[in-house]
Amino acid sequence: MEIEYVHNKKKNKKFYLKLGLFFAFVGIFSLIIYTSFYGGFGFTGSVVSESSLVGNSEQKTIDLNAELTSPELDLSGFFEKVEISGGGESYLEIGDQKFYLGNSNGNYIILNDYDGQIAFDGKILSNLKGRASEIIINGISMSSQSKDTSKVNLQSPFNYKLLELGNQVQIKKVSYTASGKVNLDNGKNEISITDEQITMGGFKGHIKSANENIILSGKIQSLDISGETKIHVDV
Amino acid sequence: MKEEENFIRVRSSRKVYFPVYLMILILVFTIGFAKFNGKEVSNLALRLVVFFSAACIAVTEIHRLANYYEINSGSLVTSKGIFSKTTRRVDLISVSDADSDQNVWQRLLNYGDVNVRLFSKESTVLVKNINNPSGFVDFLEGKMAEKKGTKNS
């Protein structure tokens, strides 16, 4: 009886091992299919950037100036400067202190050398979490005297009027349905789009978001527009 | 299968791990297909495929190397384990008969199990998943006949 029990236990262990292996295979296969053929995590227009993802300096790029309806962006990395103007029922945590942003709709926040996450769409700043070397709120510096950087955390989303990210913001890929204008190569090519799918790859530059529009100024490695207009630019 | 005149040593066939190799092949092919079509492959997916493939190959090879079966002029030897080894020697005189066991899939790929029965009827030595099991049985029976012939003379 005991031998039979041990034998069955060993058999069950082998079965579960094989099952686990199969599920791991299915999981990885699904991940490849989803991220490669269905746009992966950039499908809804959100994208996470990485600080060195645009590649080396020899990568070919083309100048871009675009004013489009704003996507949902979720960025992480290093930003030389972040400027936010707005207000709402939220607190901004800086180190151990909390600053209430609901007393005015015209709060002006500057973060210098910000390293962290920032997520926003056309009007709401939903996530701001990281560290900055200098934090200025309404003209008053709130930075730590004892540390090089201070922790910054937005407790809850709030409405902004203006959001600027500079100078060398990098976005690996963003794809979403947009309307607006795209200027390539210093105005040599101007494209107007209306509710068309735009995919930009390897963006590096300055971002400004206001009035539910986003202004991108910088360089890109690839551009794809599909809809009434079909354009593909691969530098 | 190492075969000399008086000696044969076999390990588990790699054909047993065909489903594992197939999974690795499918993953690699899918990534290749995506790259060929200009699609982007996420770093996470790529790393997982590399890790999965390396881990599967390592585990299957270790599993395979853990066991071996040997027929020499006097005995049938089974060895299991890598760090702690269990070796069993069965004198060919005590072997009554042997048969090979293959399902359809195993017949197609020419591998299977060999059951070596002993006169004591208390145990059967199971030689699992080896290439050309009928060849192994033939060799075993040859050695058994040789041993009996030597004993009688």
Side-chain angles (χ1 to χ4, degrees):
Chain A
M1 276 286 210
E2 201 176 317
I3 297 166
E4 199 180 310
Y5 171 71
V6 167
H7 181 65
N8 282 339
K9 205 176 171 187
K10 214 175 173 182
K11 257 184 148 180
N12 283 340
K13 201 177 169 185
K14 271 191 176 174
F15 171 76
Y16 286 121
L17 205 67
K18 287 176 187 173
L19 197 65
L21 188 71
F22 178 73
F23 281 139
F25 161 74
V26 169
I28 296 170
F29 183 75
S30 306
L31 182 68
I32 296 169
I33 297 292
Y34 180 64
T35 54
S36 300
F37 296 97
Y38 293 98
F41 302 108
F43 185 56
T44 58
S46 296
V47 66
V48 176
S49 76
E50 295 167 20
S51 57
S52 60
L53 49 78
V54 175
N56 57 39
S57 55
E58 293 170 13
Q59 200 86 25
K60 287 184 183 172
T61 55
I62 189 169
D63 288 324
L64 168 91
N65 270 291
E67 188 173 341
L68 301 163
T69 47
S70 202
E72 271 181 49
L73 283 177
D74 188 351
L75 309 174
S76 68
F78 179 78
F79 306 89
E80 276 182 41
K81 193 174 187 179
V82 176
E83 290 178 60
I84 308 162
S85 172
E89 297 293 319
S90 182
Y91 285 90
L92 183 67
E93 286 177 19
I94 299 170
D96 298 330
Q97 301 176 62
K98 280 186 187 177
F99 295 91
Y100 182 54
L101 301 171
N103 52 11
S104 166
N105 281 331
N107 291 301
Y108 187 59
I109 303 163
I110 300 173
L111 307 172
N112 287 325
D113 299 327
Y114 174 72
D115 192 342
Q117 296 172 332
I118 181 163
F120 59 97
D121 62 14
K123 50 184 178 180
I124 296 173
L125 178 65
S126 54
N127 184 24
L128 183 71
K129 191 173 182 179
R131 300 191 77 91
S133 65
E134 192 180 9
I135 303 146
I136 302 168
I137 302 179
N138 299 328
I140 302 168
S141 175
M142 305 292 180
S143 317
S144 167
Q145 300 296 319
S146 55
K147 293 180 185 174
D148 291 337
T149 59
S150 304
K151 194 172 115 182
V152 177
N153 183 31
L154 185 67
Q155 273 208 333
S156 55
F158 87 111
N159 295 329
Y160 68 89
K161 286 181 190 170
L162 171 72
L163 173 65
E164 278 196 67
L165 305 174
N167 287 321
Q168 294 297 308
V169 178
Q170 298 182 30
I171 301 176
K172 189 175 182 181
K173 185 179 173 184
V174 61
S175 182
Y176 69 111
T177 304
S179 302
K181 281 184 186 166
V182 178
N183 269 308
L184 294 172
D185 208 9
N186 291 320
K188 285 179 188 169
N189 296 288
E190 187 176 304
I191 307 157
S192 291
I193 58 171
T194 311
D195 292 329
E196 292 172 79
Q197 185 76 16
I198 182 167
T199 305
M200 287 180 275
F203 170 80
K204 195 172 180 179
H206 184 268
I207 296 174
K208 185 175 172 181
S209 181
N211 302 321
E212 298 193 39
N213 279 339
I214 192 167
I215 298 169
L216 300 155
S217 314
K219 293 180 186 296
I220 51 165
Q221 291 171 1
S222 67
L223 176 72
D224 208 64
I225 297 171
S226 57
E228 277 188 30
T229 321
K230 277 198 185 345
I231 294 167
H232 178 74
V233 177
D234 215 337
V235 184
Chain B
M1 196 186 279
K2 285 186 187 176
E3 189 171 339
E4 292 167 10
E5 208 176 303
N6 291 317
F7 166 85
I8 183 175
R9 180 184 280 195
V10 298
R11 293 187 190 274
S12 297
S13 171
R14 284 197 176 93
K15 293 166 191 170
V16 172
Y17 310 108
F18 178 80
V20 176
Y21 299 147
L22 186 65
M23 286 193 282
I24 294 171
L25 206 67
I26 289 171
L27 291 176
V28 170
F29 176 80
T30 308
I31 285 178
F33 183 77
K35 289 268 188 191
F36 182 75
N37 285 294
K39 303 290 180 185
E40 212 173 291
V41 178
S42 81
N43 280 335
L44 175 64
L46 201 60
R47 282 174 197 159
L48 282 173
V49 168
V50 170
F51 174 77
F52 180 85
S53 306
C56 284
I57 289 169
V59 168
T60 53
E61 283 302 302
I62 289 169
H63 186 256
R64 187 179 161 265
L65 292 171
N67 305 330
Y68 74 82
Y69 309 96
E70 181 184 304
I71 302 171
N72 54 42
S73 51
S75 53
L76 166 68
V77 181
T78 63
S79 177
K80 291 181 182 179
I82 295 178
F83 299 110
S84 44
K85 258 189 183 340
T86 305
T87 307
R88 185 181 177 188
R89 286 176 189 278
V90 176
D91 201 304
L92 291 178
I93 295 289
S94 59
V95 175
S96 70
D97 60 279
D99 62 70
S100 64
D101 205 7
Q102 293 174 288
N103 59 32
V104 174
W105 179 249
Q106 288 172 329
R107 281 189 68 193
L108 279 169
L109 296 178
N110 192 24
Y111 76 94
D113 301 339
V114 171
N115 295 300
V116 179
R117 273 180 283 277
L118 309 181
F119 282 113
S120 67
K121 289 184 186 176
E122 283 174 5
S123 63
T124 301
V125 178
L126 179 60
V127 178
K128 275 192 73 109
N129 295 321
I130 57 168
N131 280 322
N132 192 17
S134 53
F136 185 89
V137 170
D138 291 341
F139 189 87
L140 176 64
E141 285 174 353
K143 282 293 153 192
M144 281 162 59
E146 223 176 277
K147 180 93 183 200
K148 282 173 187 166
T150 314
K151 193 189 172 193
N152 289 337
S153 62

